[in-house]
Amino acid sequence: MQVKNGNAEPAEYTHLVSAKSAFVTLMVAQIIIGYEWLTSGVTKIASGNFVSGLADSLKGANPGTPRWYTSFIHGTVIPHSHIFALSIEVGEVFVGVTFIAAAIIWVTRWKRLPDMVRGVILVLVFLSAFSGVLMALNFHLAMGANHPWNIPKDGFDETIDLDTVMIFLQLALMAFSACLLCKLRKARKATKLSQGNEADVAIGALLAKGS
């Protein structure tokens, strides 16, 4: 029992409020990440020149790009730039829409959803976060940005870029979705076992009456 403003409050209530606040904060962060991906994808599609111009934009190597990744760009990405460009556009829009829609559904209608729908949403968020990590990692390498474990020599240089921040945030979303999905499956198994035990008890009662 905790005392707040002269009123006693159960510890469960305080824990519930903290959990809800953390959950809402995470969902707000997920919406912001989704908005970043969605606007990026829509901008690429609306510009009309991303697919045709990706190869030319990648031909100029950045000084910070690793050699092995430069070889990958010139040997694989540039020859198939149209496919990669379309994949990026579709991927960014998909990740953005999934993050935003899932966060809104979780906050507003999570309790009303059946377990199967909850599981599907969690899987979609996990896959979207994984796709987002892959895209952000490739953008980070292609831009030759500073790695988070390196300290910039110039005080005016940024320590980490936006893509690196996106990687860590989406890894957190992956971990959250995977953890919640595991708990959901455990809860479903426990429910099935409970229902099975109740059925056994009911059958046993019927047999006892029949005898």
Side-chain angles (χ1 to χ4, degrees):
M1 187 74 69
Q2 296 182 356
V3 178
K4 184 177 180 180
N5 296 329
N7 299 321
E9 294 182 348
E12 293 82 2
Y13 174 79
T14 304
H15 176 73
L16 182 61
V17 172
S18 300
K20 284 186 175 180
S21 300
F23 178 75
V24 172
T25 301
L26 182 63
M27 291 303 99
V28 171
Q30 181 171 308
I31 290 176
I32 293 173
I33 297 171
Y35 178 78
E36 169 65 23
W37 281 124
L38 181 60
T39 54
S40 179
V42 170
T43 300
K44 289 179 175 62
I45 295 173
S47 66
N49 59 2
F50 180 73
V51 175
S52 60
L54 179 62
D56 292 334
S57 67
L58 292 175
K59 288 180 180 178
N62 291 296
T65 303
R67 291 183 179 179
W68 64 268
Y69 195 79
T70 301
S71 300
F72 168 71
I73 290 176
H74 288 275
T76 304
V77 178
I78 292 179
H80 306 91
S81 60
H82 282 67
I83 298 175
F84 279 93
L86 289 173
S87 300
I88 292 171
E89 290 180 342
V90 174
E92 289 187 346
V93 172
F94 171 76
V95 172
V97 171
T98 302
F99 278 170
I100 295 173
I104 294 174
I105 292 173
W106 281 0
V107 173
T108 60
R109 308 185 69 85
W110 179 258
K111 293 182 179 180
R112 304 177 187 177
L113 297 176
D115 288 343
M116 182 176 295
V117 178
R118 293 178 180 179
V120 170
I121 293 175
L122 289 171
V123 170
L124 286 175
V125 171
F126 182 88
L127 293 176
S128 297
F130 179 74
S131 301
V133 168
L134 289 181
M135 289 191 293
L137 179 60
N138 280 277
F139 296 162
H140 170 80
L141 293 173
M143 294 297 295
N146 184 60
H147 299 307
W149 53 84
N150 294 332
I151 299 177
K153 297 179 180 180
D154 193 341
F156 292 97
D157 293 337
E158 60 180 4
T159 306
I160 57 175
D161 59 334
L162 177 60
D163 292 320
T164 302
V165 175
M166 295 280 281
I167 290 172
F168 286 116
L169 290 176
Q170 288 170 124
L171 286 174
L173 290 177
M174 287 177 61
F176 173 78
S177 300
C179 180
L180 203 57
L181 187 60
C182 291
K183 289 184 178 180
L184 182 62
R185 289 183 175 180
K186 288 182 181 179
R188 290 179 64 182
K189 289 182 180 179
T191 301
K192 289 181 179 179
L193 289 175
S194 177
Q195 291 175 349
N197 292 334
E198 290 177 358
D200 292 340
V201 172
I203 293 172
L206 289 174
L207 293 175
K209 288 183 179 180
S211 61

